[in-house]
Amino acid sequence: METIMVYLDNMFAGLPRTPEVERMKQELLSGMEDKYLELKQEGRSENEAVGIVISEFGNIEELMAELGIQPDDMQKIVPTLTEEEAHAYIAAKRSAGFWTGLGVWLSAIGVAFMILINTLFESLGSSTEQDSLGIGSVLGMSGLFVLVAIAVGMFIYSGMKLGRFDYIEKEFQLPRTLLMTLQRSKASFALTYRVALITGVCLCILSPVFVFAGAYLNDTYAVYGTSALLATAGIGVFLFIYYGNIQGAYTKLLEYQHLNAAKREEARVERAVGAIVWPLATAFFLFTGFVYQRWDINWAIFPIVGILSGSFSNVYHLVKDKKSS
Protein backbone atom coordinates (compact mmCIF):
# COMPACT_ATOMS: atom_id res chain seq x y z
CA MET A 1 0.00 0.00 0.00
CA GLU A 2 2.90 2.36 0.57
CA THR A 3 3.76 2.27 -3.14
CA ILE A 4 0.15 3.03 -4.02
CA MET A 5 0.01 5.96 -1.58
CA VAL A 6 3.21 7.43 -2.99
CA TYR A 7 1.84 7.06 -6.52
CA LEU A 8 -1.42 8.74 -5.50
CA ASP A 9 0.41 11.62 -3.80
CA ASN A 10 2.49 12.21 -6.90
CA MET A 11 -0.57 12.18 -9.16
CA PHE A 12 -2.41 14.71 -7.01
CA ALA A 13 0.63 16.92 -6.42
CA GLY A 14 -0.16 18.91 -9.56
CA LEU A 15 -3.79 19.66 -8.64
CA PRO A 16 -5.15 22.58 -6.60
CA ARG A 17 -5.70 21.81 -2.92
CA THR A 18 -9.45 22.27 -2.83
CA PRO A 19 -11.96 20.34 -0.68
CA GLU A 20 -13.27 18.59 -3.81
CA VAL A 21 -9.80 17.39 -4.76
CA GLU A 22 -9.04 16.19 -1.23
CA ARG A 23 -12.35 14.33 -1.07
CA MET A 24 -11.72 12.69 -4.41
CA LYS A 25 -8.23 11.70 -3.29
CA GLN A 26 -9.55 10.03 -0.15
CA GLU A 27 -12.24 8.19 -2.10
CA LEU A 28 -9.69 6.93 -4.61
CA LEU A 29 -7.35 5.84 -1.84
CA SER A 30 -10.13 3.91 -0.14
CA GLY A 31 -11.13 2.22 -3.39
CA MET A 32 -7.54 1.36 -4.29
CA GLU A 33 -6.97 -0.10 -0.83
CA ASP A 34 -10.05 -2.30 -1.14
CA LYS A 35 -8.95 -3.47 -4.58
CA TYR A 36 -5.41 -4.14 -3.33
CA LEU A 37 -6.63 -6.26 -0.40
CA GLU A 38 -9.01 -8.15 -2.70
CA LEU A 39 -6.18 -9.00 -5.09
CA LYS A 40 -3.94 -10.11 -2.24
CA GLN A 41 -6.67 -12.43 -0.97
CA GLU A 42 -6.86 -13.95 -4.47
CA GLY A 43 -3.23 -14.94 -4.14
CA ARG A 44 -1.70 -12.21 -6.30
CA SER A 45 1.84 -11.15 -5.51
CA GLU A 46 2.72 -7.70 -4.16
CA ASN A 47 3.92 -6.42 -7.54
CA GLU A 48 0.94 -7.85 -9.41
CA ALA A 49 -1.57 -6.33 -6.99
CA VAL A 50 0.08 -2.91 -7.11
CA GLY A 51 0.34 -2.96 -10.91
CA ILE A 52 -3.34 -3.87 -11.39
CA VAL A 53 -4.53 -1.22 -8.93
CA ILE A 54 -2.44 1.51 -10.56
CA SER A 55 -3.48 0.49 -14.08
CA GLU A 56 -7.15 0.93 -13.12
CA PHE A 57 -6.54 4.36 -11.68
CA GLY A 58 -6.79 6.28 -14.96
CA ASN A 59 -4.80 9.33 -16.01
CA ILE A 60 -4.59 12.86 -14.63
CA GLU A 61 -6.45 14.41 -17.59
CA GLU A 62 -9.49 12.22 -16.93
CA LEU A 63 -9.37 13.15 -13.26
CA MET A 64 -9.21 16.89 -14.07
CA ALA A 65 -12.18 16.56 -16.41
CA GLU A 66 -14.17 14.68 -13.76
CA LEU A 67 -13.45 17.38 -11.19
CA GLY A 68 -14.12 20.19 -13.65
CA ILE A 69 -10.61 21.64 -13.35
CA GLN A 70 -9.59 23.81 -16.29
CA PRO A 71 -5.98 24.34 -17.41
CA ASP A 72 -6.19 27.94 -16.17
CA ASP A 73 -6.68 26.63 -12.64
CA MET A 74 -3.28 24.98 -12.69
CA GLN A 75 -1.63 28.29 -11.77
CA LYS A 76 -2.91 27.57 -8.26
CA ILE A 77 -0.77 24.45 -8.02
CA VAL A 78 0.93 24.06 -4.65
CA PRO A 79 4.53 22.84 -4.86
CA THR A 80 5.38 19.57 -3.17
CA LEU A 81 8.49 19.39 -1.00
CA THR A 82 10.78 16.46 -1.60
CA GLU A 83 12.34 14.41 1.18
CA GLU A 84 15.75 15.93 0.39
CA GLU A 85 14.37 19.49 0.67
CA ALA A 86 12.62 18.79 3.96
CA HIS A 87 15.66 17.19 5.58
CA ALA A 88 17.95 19.90 4.22
CA TYR A 89 15.66 22.53 5.76
CA ILE A 90 15.70 20.80 9.15
CA ALA A 91 19.49 20.52 9.00
CA ALA A 92 19.79 24.21 8.10
CA LYS A 93 17.51 25.21 10.98
CA ARG A 94 19.53 23.06 13.36
CA SER A 95 22.79 24.63 12.18
CA ALA A 96 21.34 28.15 12.28
CA GLY A 97 20.06 27.54 15.80
CA PHE A 98 23.51 26.37 16.91
CA TRP A 99 25.37 29.37 15.48
CA THR A 100 22.75 31.87 16.64
CA GLY A 101 22.66 30.39 20.15
CA LEU A 102 26.45 30.29 20.30
CA GLY A 103 26.57 33.91 19.16
CA VAL A 104 24.18 34.96 21.93
CA TRP A 105 26.24 33.04 24.48
CA LEU A 106 29.47 34.67 23.25
CA SER A 107 27.83 38.09 23.59
CA ALA A 108 26.95 37.29 27.19
CA ILE A 109 30.47 35.95 27.78
CA GLY A 110 31.87 39.17 26.34
CA VAL A 111 29.99 41.26 28.89
CA ALA A 112 30.98 38.84 31.66
CA PHE A 113 34.63 39.03 30.56
CA MET A 114 34.60 42.82 30.61
CA ILE A 115 33.09 42.93 34.10
CA LEU A 116 35.52 40.28 35.35
CA ILE A 117 38.64 41.99 33.97
CA ASN A 118 37.61 45.42 35.28
CA THR A 119 36.97 43.96 38.72
CA LEU A 120 40.28 42.07 38.78
CA PHE A 121 42.30 45.15 37.87
CA GLU A 122 40.34 47.30 40.29
CA SER A 123 41.11 44.85 43.08
CA LEU A 124 44.88 45.27 42.51
CA GLY A 125 44.77 48.46 44.56
CA SER A 126 48.36 49.43 43.81
CA SER A 127 49.91 52.91 43.74
CA THR A 128 49.29 52.95 40.01
CA GLU A 129 45.59 52.37 40.52
CA GLN A 130 44.60 54.73 37.71
CA ASP A 131 46.82 52.88 35.25
CA SER A 132 45.45 49.54 36.43
CA LEU A 133 41.89 50.70 35.93
CA GLY A 134 42.76 52.02 32.48
CA ILE A 135 44.40 48.77 31.42
CA GLY A 136 41.49 46.78 32.83
CA SER A 137 38.97 48.89 30.89
CA VAL A 138 40.93 48.57 27.64
CA LEU A 139 41.33 44.80 27.98
CA GLY A 140 37.73 44.32 29.04
CA MET A 141 36.28 46.42 26.22
CA SER A 142 38.62 44.83 23.68
CA GLY A 143 37.55 41.35 24.70
CA LEU A 144 33.89 42.39 24.60
CA PHE A 145 34.11 43.85 21.10
CA VAL A 146 36.04 40.86 19.76
CA LEU A 147 33.49 38.39 21.09
CA VAL A 148 30.55 40.51 19.91
CA ALA A 149 32.13 40.80 16.45
CA ILE A 150 32.46 37.01 16.29
CA ALA A 151 28.85 36.67 17.45
CA VAL A 152 27.60 39.05 14.75
CA GLY A 153 29.47 36.98 12.17
CA MET A 154 27.68 33.89 13.48
CA PHE A 155 24.31 35.65 13.21
CA ILE A 156 25.01 36.61 9.59
CA TYR A 157 26.21 33.11 8.77
CA SER A 158 23.11 31.48 10.27
CA GLY A 159 20.86 33.87 8.34
CA MET A 160 22.62 33.03 5.10
CA LYS A 161 22.11 29.30 5.67
CA LEU A 162 18.35 29.81 5.88
CA GLY A 163 18.15 32.30 3.03
CA ARG A 164 17.82 29.63 0.37
CA PHE A 165 14.69 28.25 2.04
CA ASP A 166 12.58 31.40 1.68
CA TYR A 167 10.18 29.51 -0.57
CA ILE A 168 9.09 27.42 2.41
CA GLU A 169 7.44 30.57 3.80
CA LYS A 170 4.89 30.17 1.00
CA GLU A 171 2.27 27.46 0.57
CA PHE A 172 3.50 23.92 0.06
CA GLN A 173 2.46 20.33 0.63
CA LEU A 174 4.16 17.13 1.73
CA PRO A 175 3.82 13.62 0.32
CA ARG A 176 2.06 11.26 2.69
CA THR A 177 5.12 9.10 3.36
CA LEU A 178 7.27 12.16 4.14
CA LEU A 179 4.53 13.57 6.35
CA MET A 180 4.42 10.36 8.39
CA THR A 181 8.22 10.26 8.63
CA LEU A 182 8.37 13.84 9.93
CA GLN A 183 5.60 13.16 12.42
CA ARG A 184 7.56 10.22 13.83
CA SER A 185 10.74 12.30 13.98
CA LYS A 186 8.95 15.11 15.80
CA ALA A 187 7.45 12.66 18.29
CA SER A 188 10.91 11.20 18.95
CA PHE A 189 12.35 14.68 19.43
CA ALA A 190 9.59 15.80 21.82
CA LEU A 191 11.26 14.43 24.97
CA THR A 192 14.63 16.00 24.08
CA TYR A 193 12.93 19.34 23.45
CA ARG A 194 11.07 19.27 26.77
CA VAL A 195 14.23 18.38 28.72
CA ALA A 196 16.19 21.16 26.99
CA LEU A 197 13.41 23.66 27.64
CA ILE A 198 13.16 22.76 31.32
CA THR A 199 16.95 22.83 31.71
CA GLY A 200 17.16 26.26 30.07
CA VAL A 201 14.42 27.68 32.29
CA CYS A 202 16.08 26.28 35.41
CA LEU A 203 19.46 27.76 34.43
CA CYS A 204 17.94 31.20 33.86
CA ILE A 205 16.01 31.10 37.13
CA LEU A 206 18.96 29.84 39.18
CA SER A 207 21.60 32.10 37.61
CA PRO A 208 20.92 35.06 40.02
CA VAL A 209 21.97 32.77 42.88
CA PHE A 210 25.60 33.57 41.99
CA VAL A 211 24.94 37.28 42.56
CA PHE A 212 23.13 36.72 45.85
CA ALA A 213 25.80 34.35 47.11
CA GLY A 214 28.55 36.80 46.14
CA ALA A 215 26.75 39.73 47.75
CA TYR A 216 26.45 37.71 50.94
CA LEU A 217 30.25 37.49 51.09
CA ASN A 218 31.21 40.97 49.88
CA ASP A 219 30.58 43.44 47.05
CA THR A 220 33.55 42.21 45.00
CA TYR A 221 32.25 38.68 44.92
CA ALA A 222 28.84 40.04 43.89
CA VAL A 223 30.45 41.41 40.72
CA TYR A 224 32.04 38.02 40.06
CA GLY A 225 28.61 36.51 40.60
CA THR A 226 27.25 38.80 37.87
CA SER A 227 29.77 37.35 35.42
CA ALA A 228 28.74 33.84 36.41
CA LEU A 229 25.08 34.85 36.04
CA LEU A 230 25.65 36.00 32.46
CA ALA A 231 27.56 32.86 31.50
CA THR A 232 24.94 30.55 33.06
CA ALA A 233 21.93 32.41 31.67
CA GLY A 234 23.66 32.44 28.28
CA ILE A 235 23.75 28.64 28.32
CA GLY A 236 20.03 28.60 29.05
CA VAL A 237 19.33 30.96 26.16
CA PHE A 238 21.49 28.77 23.90
CA LEU A 239 19.30 25.78 24.76
CA PHE A 240 16.17 27.79 23.97
CA ILE A 241 17.47 28.90 20.58
CA TYR A 242 19.12 25.67 19.45
CA TYR A 243 16.39 23.21 20.38
CA GLY A 244 13.66 25.76 19.65
CA ASN A 245 14.94 26.06 16.08
CA ILE A 246 14.73 22.30 15.58
CA GLN A 247 11.23 22.19 17.02
CA GLY A 248 10.29 25.17 14.86
CA ALA A 249 11.45 23.35 11.74
CA TYR A 250 9.17 20.39 12.46
CA THR A 251 6.29 22.73 13.33
CA LYS A 252 6.63 24.69 10.12
CA LEU A 253 6.82 21.61 7.91
CA LEU A 254 3.95 19.81 9.60
CA GLU A 255 1.63 22.66 10.55
CA TYR A 256 2.57 25.77 8.58
CA GLN A 257 1.51 24.15 5.30
CA HIS A 258 -2.08 24.04 6.56
CA LEU A 259 -2.27 27.72 7.51
CA ASN A 260 -4.27 30.06 5.32
CA ALA A 261 -3.03 33.44 4.10
CA ALA A 262 -4.34 35.28 7.18
CA LYS A 263 -2.54 32.94 9.59
CA ARG A 264 0.68 33.27 7.62
CA GLU A 265 0.39 37.04 7.83
CA GLU A 266 -0.03 36.78 11.60
CA ALA A 267 3.09 34.63 11.82
CA ARG A 268 5.04 37.17 9.75
CA VAL A 269 3.89 40.03 12.01
CA GLU A 270 5.00 38.14 15.11
CA ARG A 271 8.43 37.46 13.62
CA ALA A 272 8.77 41.11 12.59
CA VAL A 273 7.93 42.30 16.11
CA GLY A 274 10.41 39.85 17.59
CA ALA A 275 13.11 41.05 15.21
CA ILE A 276 12.65 44.59 16.58
CA VAL A 277 11.95 43.96 20.26
CA TRP A 278 14.80 41.59 21.10
CA PRO A 279 17.60 43.78 19.67
CA LEU A 280 16.12 46.73 21.58
CA ALA A 281 16.10 44.65 24.76
CA THR A 282 19.76 43.76 24.19
CA ALA A 283 20.61 47.43 23.59
CA PHE A 284 18.81 48.40 26.82
CA PHE A 285 20.67 45.67 28.68
CA LEU A 286 24.06 46.91 27.46
CA PHE A 287 23.19 50.60 28.01
CA THR A 288 22.05 50.17 31.61
CA GLY A 289 25.08 47.97 32.26
CA PHE A 290 27.73 50.28 30.82
CA VAL A 291 26.21 53.62 31.85
CA TYR A 292 24.59 52.79 35.19
CA GLN A 293 26.57 49.64 36.11
CA ARG A 294 23.38 47.72 36.91
CA TRP A 295 24.50 44.32 35.71
CA ASP A 296 22.99 42.83 38.85
CA ILE A 297 19.36 43.47 37.87
CA ASN A 298 19.22 44.53 34.22
CA TRP A 299 19.26 40.87 33.10
CA ALA A 300 15.57 40.82 34.10
CA ILE A 301 14.78 42.66 30.85
CA PHE A 302 14.96 39.40 28.92
CA PRO A 303 12.29 37.40 30.82
CA ILE A 304 10.14 40.58 30.90
CA VAL A 305 10.40 40.95 27.12
CA GLY A 306 9.62 37.25 26.75
CA ILE A 307 6.42 37.64 28.76
CA LEU A 308 5.43 40.79 26.86
CA SER A 309 6.08 39.08 23.53
CA GLY A 310 3.80 36.22 24.50
CA SER A 311 1.15 38.69 25.65
CA PHE A 312 1.39 40.59 22.37
CA SER A 313 0.92 37.38 20.43
CA ASN A 314 -2.20 36.47 22.40
CA VAL A 315 -3.70 39.97 22.13
CA TYR A 316 -2.92 40.13 18.41
CA HIS A 317 -4.68 36.81 17.79
CA LEU A 318 -7.72 37.96 19.80
CA VAL A 319 -7.97 41.20 17.84
CA LYS A 320 -7.63 39.42 14.50
CA ASP A 321 -10.22 36.81 15.47
CA LYS A 322 -12.62 39.56 16.60
CA LYS A 323 -12.26 41.43 13.31
CA SER A 324 -12.78 38.29 11.25
CA SER A 325 -15.90 37.27 13.19
Side-chain angles (χ1 to χ4, degrees):
M1 276 303 299
E2 184 175 350
T3 302
I4 295 175
M5 288 189 292
V6 171
Y7 174 79
L8 194 61
D9 287 336
N10 292 334
M11 293 297 294
F12 274 81
L15 297 180
R17 297 178 61 186
T18 62
E20 293 79 9
V21 173
E22 291 297 324
R23 184 174 64 253
M24 177 62 73
K25 182 179 178 181
Q26 293 302 319
E27 291 177 356
L28 287 171
L29 178 61
S30 178
M32 294 171 78
E33 184 177 4
D34 292 340
K35 183 64 176 179
Y36 171 81
L37 295 176
E38 178 184 340
L39 292 170
K40 290 291 291 182
Q41 290 176 355
E42 293 177 359
R44 302 296 182 98
S45 66
E46 179 78 15
N47 293 334
E48 287 179 328
V50 171
I52 294 174
V53 170
I54 291 178
S55 65
E56 295 181 358
F57 173 72
N59 55 56
I60 195 66
E61 288 78 12
E62 295 175 352
L63 181 61
M64 289 174 59
E66 184 176 348
L67 294 174
I69 300 175
Q70 302 300 323
D72 294 340
D73 296 329
M74 296 305 290
Q75 59 183 330
K76 300 178 183 178
I77 290 176
V78 178
T80 301
L81 291 186
T82 64
E83 184 175 356
E84 291 75 15
E85 289 176 316
H87 288 304
Y89 174 70
I90 295 174
K93 286 284 286 185
R94 182 191 301 269
S95 177
F98 174 81
W99 291 112
T100 301
L102 185 59
V104 171
W105 183 75
L106 283 179
S107 299
I109 289 296
V111 177
F113 176 79
M114 183 195 65
I115 297 173
L116 183 63
I117 292 297
N118 284 338
T119 304
L120 287 174
F121 275 85
E122 184 179 354
S123 64
L124 292 177
S126 62
S127 57
T128 59
E129 182 177 355
Q130 191 65 33
D131 293 337
S132 297
L133 292 176
I135 295 174
S137 298
V138 170
L139 291 177
M141 292 294 292
S142 298
L144 171 64
F145 286 129
V146 169
L147 291 175
V148 169
I150 296 174
V152 171
M154 292 179 176
F155 298 152
I156 296 174
Y157 176 73
S158 63
M160 292 174 62
K161 289 185 71 68
L162 292 175
R164 64 189 181 97
F165 294 100
D166 289 341
Y167 64 92
I168 292 184
E169 297 294 331
K170 303 176 183 178
E171 194 173 4
F172 62 89
Q173 61 180 338
L174 299 175
R176 178 184 296 272
T177 52
L178 178 57
L179 180 65
M180 296 174 63
T181 299
L182 292 177
Q183 288 174 339
R184 289 193 295 267
S185 298
K186 183 180 180 181
S188 300
F189 179 72
L191 178 60
T192 301
Y193 176 65
R194 286 196 294 268
V195 172
L197 193 64
I198 294 172
T199 303
V201 170
C202 291
L203 287 175
C204 291
I205 293 175
L206 296 176
S207 57
V209 170
F210 294 107
V211 179
F212 300 145
Y216 178 77
L217 299 175
N218 58 55
D219 293 339
T220 301
Y221 287 127
V223 178
Y224 294 148
T226 302
S227 297
L229 178 150
L230 292 170
T232 304
I235 296 174
V237 174
F238 171 84
L239 295 176
F240 295 150
I241 296 175
Y242 177 65
Y243 289 98
N245 255 34
I246 301 174
Q247 178 73 7
Y250 286 122
T251 300
K252 176 165 290 188
L253 291 174
L254 294 173
E255 300 176 13
Y256 195 71
Q257 60 169 331
H258 302 299
L259 299 182
N260 55 31
K263 293 296 184 181
R264 285 192 176 85
E265 181 61 25
E266 292 178 14
R268 280 193 287 269
V269 170
E270 291 176 7
R271 289 197 300 271
V273 172
I276 296 173
V277 170
W278 287 105
L280 287 177
T282 303
F284 178 83
F285 170 78
L286 295 175
F287 175 79
T288 54
F290 289 131
V291 177
Y292 297 104
Q293 299 298 315
R294 296 314 307 265
W295 304 104
D296 55 332
I297 61 172
N298 64 352
W299 59 270
I301 185 64
F302 294 110
I304 291 174
V305 169
I307 295 173
L308 292 178
S309 297
S311 300
F312 167 79
S313 177
N314 293 332
V315 172
Y316 181 76
H317 285 302
L318 290 175
V319 172
K320 293 289 289 186
D321 292 342
K322 185 176 181 180
K323 287 183 178 180
S324 60
S325 60

